Amino acid sequence: PCFHTFFIDFPVTMCYNSITISLEVITMAEENAVLKYKGRPLMRKDAIIYYGSMADKYIIMLQVLSSEQKDGYKLSGRVSVQLQYTDPEISSKDRVVKSAERDGLYDAMELGSIWLERALSGK
């Protein structure tokens, strides 16, 4: 069975057994697998997407601020990107290390993946 994904920059029909978007950047191997982007997990709750692992020092939070309907699909518009500490003892206000806004989920994901990679490598 296939399903449609929302908040992406272009409509894509995804099947449980194999998902490929943008030259296999996003992949899912089986029905219960975690969706990953560039080898890191993606978790979505409504209009918020968390990218990375809570076991690491940093995570990326993406929030879809606007969306539009096109050809029956809900596409992302403006997206907020935040690099955040995962430490629960830090107040939510102080967790944000960097923030920006981008047009479209793809641009936001690319920025977030660069920030996360640099932060986790200590650069």
Side-chain angles (χ1 to χ4, degrees), residues 1 51 58 74 87 95 107:
Y51 173 57
Y58 300 97
K74 191 173 184 181
D87 186 350
R95 280 188 204 150
D107 289 341

Side-chain angles (χ1 to χ4, degrees), residues 54-71:
M54 291 301 287
D56 292 333
K57 186 175 181 178
Y58 300 97
I59 196 166
I60 294 292
M61 185 186 84
L62 303 149
Q63 183 174 11
V64 177
L65 302 174
S66 67
S67 61
E68 63 183 71
Q69 288 289 124
K70 185 172 182 177
D71 298 326

Side-chain angles (χ1 to χ4, degrees), residues 2-3 12-13 16-17 42 45 52 71 73 90-91 118 120:
C2 295
F3 60 95
V12 174
T13 299
Y16 286 123
N17 292 335
L42 282 168
K45 173 77 170 116
D71 298 326
Y73 294 95
I90 298 174
S91 71
R118 288 180 181 171
L120 294 174

